[in-house]
Amino acid sequence: MKFSEFDGKKWEENGAYYDTCLIPYTGLSGAETPVQAAEALERLRDFLELAEVPFQGRLVTYPAIQYAEPGNWGYVNGICSKVKSSNFKFVIVMSADAELSVTDLYESDLTLSLRGFPGITQQEISRRIGAEIERMWQK
């Protein structure tokens, strides 16, 4: 579910079932044209759905981190840390365009980048994402 689909009562009743936060990472630099920015957001939306749809009863998608400077992962790590200390057991960071690594994003439990799935079908990407998330939960 998206964070905006919860109200106070709904979160109070069902929040315990949602132990995983998904943080979208767009990675825009600000140099993109409006068309390029829109295309990046569409790619991210489509990539996120591969995790959101099959795990909608356990995963909450937070607002995206839109802009970032390359290699400046401190901000993203800080967000992951705060999210884990306040509401969630697991944090996943997903990006359609940026290279992500658990080494850089050490506060996340899983990083998924579309770039990490070159040359395979959408169905195979979906299967692998599901397997990665399941593996994270079993640790």
Side-chain angles (χ1 to χ4, degrees):
M1 289 183 76
K2 304 270 192 259
F3 70 96
S4 58
E5 296 173 1
F6 288 95
D7 59 25
K9 184 174 175 24
K10 192 172 188 179
W11 179 254
E12 192 175 302
E13 291 173 358
N14 299 311
Y17 299 106
Y18 294 91
D19 66 349
T20 305
C21 179
L22 174 59
I23 299 176
Y25 179 80
T26 311
L28 297 174
S29 68
E32 298 83 8
T33 66
V35 172
Q36 292 170 324
E39 289 171 348
L41 290 170
E42 289 169 4
R43 282 190 301 276
L44 182 58
R45 177 203 61 212
D46 294 345
F47 187 51
L48 292 172
E49 285 180 358
L50 300 177
E52 290 172 326
V53 172
F55 299 110
Q56 64 186 357
R58 190 165 175 187
L59 209 129
V60 177
T61 302
Y62 262 38
I65 298 171
Q66 302 290 6
Y67 294 94
E69 294 190 27
N72 185 4
W73 299 112
Y75 178 71
V76 181
N77 278 313
I79 299 288
C80 292
S81 177
K82 290 173 189 172
V83 165
K84 283 171 71 172
S85 68
S86 63
N87 293 308
F88 297 96
K89 184 175 179 181
F90 303 101
V91 176
I92 302 169
V93 179
M94 288 181 72
S95 180
D97 295 331
E99 287 288 339
L100 303 176
S101 76
V102 173
T103 304
D104 292 329
L105 294 172
Y106 51 85
E107 292 291 344
S108 69
D109 297 290
L110 180 63
T111 60
L112 296 168
S113 174
L114 185 56
R115 290 183 175 193
F117 302 101
I120 59 175
T121 67
Q122 187 92 344
Q123 185 177 15
E124 180 63 16
I125 294 170
S126 180
R127 189 190 68 70
R128 289 190 186 178
I129 287 172
E132 292 276 339
I133 292 171
E134 292 284 346
R135 196 172 10 256
M136 175 195 69
W137 284 333
Q138 292 173 3
K139 286 185 182 178

